[in-house]
């Protein structure tokens, strides 16, 4: 598992940030976090690979920003395929 900083230019698209963030999470953080911290949130800085964990998404992002205000962050809910899920239901009239 490499801990070398990652070069993430400011011109990265959101898709590129997401792909790099998922890769960093999978390679550097998943194994150590998923067994004991399922359900918490982690913001991964794609410029450094650093992970900032908290109970709530807003807290993880705040920690990340405080740790690296110039970073690009990928948010993960530990143990879940996505940080959030969306659903819809028909309107009843």
């Amino acid at each position: 598992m490499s801990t070398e900083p990652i070069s993430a230019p400011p011109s990265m698209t959101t898709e590129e940030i997401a792909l790099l963030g998922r890769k960093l999470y999978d390679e550097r953080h998943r194994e150590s976090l998923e067994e004991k911290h399922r359900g918490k949130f982690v913001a991964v800085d794609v410029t450094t690979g650093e992970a900032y964990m908290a109970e709530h998404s807003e807290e993880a992002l705040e920690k990340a920003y405080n740790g690296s205000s110039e970073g690009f962050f990928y948010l993960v809910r530990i143990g879940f395929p996505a940080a959030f899920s969306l659903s819809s239901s028909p309107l009843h009239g």
Side-chain angles (χ1 to χ4, degrees), residues 13-61:
T13 66
T14 55
E15 290 83 7
E16 291 168 330
I17 291 170
L19 287 171
L20 181 53
R22 175 50 75 176
K23 180 180 179 194
L24 288 167
Y25 176 75
D26 288 344
E27 291 177 358
R28 296 185 181 187
H29 305 291
R30 178 188 299 276
E31 187 176 333
S32 64
L33 294 176
E34 290 201 354
E35 192 172 310
K36 295 183 181 180
H37 302 288
R38 182 175 169 82
K40 292 183 181 179
F41 290 86
V42 64
V44 178
D45 182 343
V46 301
T47 62
T48 65
E50 185 79 24
Y52 301 87
M53 186 180 64
E55 282 292 325
H56 303 285
S57 59
E58 297 86 358
E59 293 170 319
L61 289 169

